[in-house]
Amino acid sequence: MTDVPPIERQNPAPETMRPSERRPLDGRRPPRSGPRPDRPKKRDVSGWVILDKGVGMTSTHAVAVVKRAFNAKKAGHAGTLDPLASGILPIALGEATKTVPFVMDGRKAYRFTVAWGVETDTDDAEGRPVATSEERPTREAVEAALPNFIGAIEQVPPRFSAIKIAGERAYDLARDGEVVELVARPVQIDHLSVVEHADGHTVIAAECGKGTYVRALARDLGRMLGCYGHVAALRRTRVGPFSEGESCNVAALEAGGPEGNAPHLRPVETALDAIPSVTISRDMALRLMRGQPVILRGRDAPTEGKIFATCGGILVAVGDVERGELVPHRVFHLGGVGGR
């Protein structure tokens, strides 16, 4: 056996490598021969992107992909969508991040598949079985049970959820083997209907409010039917004013480039579709942009409630009307009114 000097095993330099590609014997990277290429400059981009997220991608990763696709300075999402779920994930860019709470408070729609016969500790297909049954419900039995979950109900969230207990996430405690006891919370479910039913699975359509866990709904439905169940597939089809029809996927964004993706950008005020609007003068717009209230005049002017104001078709502020006076809570800098 021929001994090979250790230094040569650590730093092989095949003949095919050019001298500039070979590392020095001390293992350090050679200095660059030229200037580092400039990174693309981040842009002030504002608006909503309705991403159709695929299974396996986290919501945080989805935000990073969209931010990079637009080369945007700032981005955030309106409501986490688990990696096992697909569907609508609204992502706000720039000034649109100020309207995220309005979208998160909106109604949501889902289409999910319940696999009967097994309850898991996560209430979805990723978890360990904790209860099983040979019973399988009929379509008629499922349809008869659904009305019990419609309306204002109390729901215990899944043990593997992002809810905080004494400052720690419930899923972190559950993964550490601790017993997680979550209290029931009020949620609003407006619609449930059976879409398909066959071979131990039922596909259900749901419309619900903020804070509702579809996994908990499948778990509770399985217990009521005496056969147990968990969510095998989940797709979100609507969030507030955004639906599947206006969505785009990651492949389309990556192919478009920062300029080519402009058609995928929805106006910032789209998130405010559920509240009234008022048109104001430029002088009033300048006062609002300084954080000062303005008096709304005219026969049709709102006297109370939350509204948003525009000037020349440009979103200026959103706030509350109190005794005929608009008090701004969020001011937008979209250009064209007072400049930036």
Side-chain angles (χ1 to χ4, degrees):
M1 180 177 176
T2 303
D3 290 336
V4 178
I7 194 68
E8 291 188 18
R9 287 202 297 264
Q10 296 169 5
N11 189 50
E15 294 300 323
T16 55
M17 292 178 69
R18 292 175 295 181
S20 60
E21 293 175 327
R22 299 180 184 179
R23 285 194 176 190
L25 296 181
D26 60 4
R28 292 179 298 180
R29 289 183 180 276
R32 289 182 178 274
S33 58
R36 186 185 295 272
D38 293 335
R39 291 184 177 180
K41 189 176 180 181
K42 299 294 183 184
R43 305 187 306 156
D44 286 317
V45 183
S46 294
W48 283 92
V49 178
I50 317 308
L51 182 69
D52 189 343
K53 187 187 82 65
V55 173
M57 175 180 276
T58 66
S59 298
T60 301
H61 184 199
V63 171
V65 168
V66 172
K67 189 178 178 183
R68 184 171 62 247
F70 283 85
N71 211 11
K73 288 182 177 178
K74 187 177 181 182
H77 65 71
T80 301
L81 195 57
D82 291 341
L84 284 180
S86 66
I88 301 304
L89 180 65
I91 296 178
L93 301 180
E95 292 291 283
T97 56
K98 298 176 180 177
T99 62
V100 165
F102 295 93
V103 177
M104 293 187 69
D105 287 342
R107 316 304 292 172
K108 300 175 181 63
Y110 297 92
R111 187 169 59 249
F112 61 101
T113 302
V114 184
W116 305 112
V118 179
E119 181 175 314
T120 68
D121 57 357
T122 59
D123 300 320
D124 61 22
E126 269 198 332
R128 295 181 300 105
V130 293
T132 61
S133 171
E134 296 300 321
E135 298 292 327
R136 298 292 182 271
T138 63
R139 177 174 184 136
E140 291 73 21
V142 176
E143 289 177 331
L146 290 181
N148 293 287
F149 299 93
I150 296 176
I153 65 169
E154 295 284 321
Q155 184 185 69
V156 178
R159 283 169 288 180
F160 284 79
S161 62
I163 292 174
K164 287 190 174 181
I165 302 175
E168 295 197 56
R169 300 286 186 189
Y171 53 64
D172 287 333
L173 297 172
R175 286 176 186 140
D176 290 340
E178 297 190 28
V179 177
V180 177
E181 297 290 345
L182 295 169
V183 299
R185 307 188 310 171
V187 297
Q188 177 71 34
I189 299 177
D190 296 324
H191 172 80
L192 290 171
S193 63
V194 173
V195 179
E196 296 176 23
H197 179 88
D199 299 331
H201 293 75
T202 303
V203 180
I204 298 173
E207 293 181 15
C208 53
K210 183 180 180 181
T212 304
Y213 280 92
V214 173
R215 286 181 289 149
L217 179 60
R219 175 201 64 202
D220 296 341
L221 190 58
R223 290 177 181 177
M224 176 174 284
L225 292 168
C227 61
Y228 301 116
H230 65 271
V231 170
L234 173 63
R235 179 170 177 76
R236 189 157 68 188
T237 57
R238 182 166 61 84
V239 179
F242 304 125
S243 62
E244 291 176 295
E246 54 198 332
S247 65
C248 59
N249 57 31
V250 169
L253 291 175
E254 290 180 339
E259 300 297 336
N261 283 328
H264 298 303
L265 203 59
R266 311 289 297 174
V268 175
E269 58 268 28
T270 310
L272 307 174
D273 278 357
I275 63 175
S277 65
V278 63
T279 301
I280 59 174
S281 67
R282 187 174 183 276
D283 288 343
M284 295 169 73
L286 293 175
R287 283 183 59 85
L288 289 176
M289 294 178 72
R290 289 194 293 266
Q292 299 170 337
V294 297
I295 297 175
L296 301 177
R297 304 186 187 280
R299 186 181 61 183
D300 299 326
T303 56
E304 61 180 10
K306 192 172 294 296
I307 66 169
F308 69 90
T310 63
C311 177
I314 297 172
L315 177 63
V316 176
V318 60
D320 288 312
V321 180
E322 302 170 0
R323 296 187 294 276
E325 193 175 63
L326 172 56
V327 180
H329 298 311
R330 293 283 186 185
V331 174
F332 300 88
H333 300 278
L334 294 170
V337 178
R340 298 202 61 175

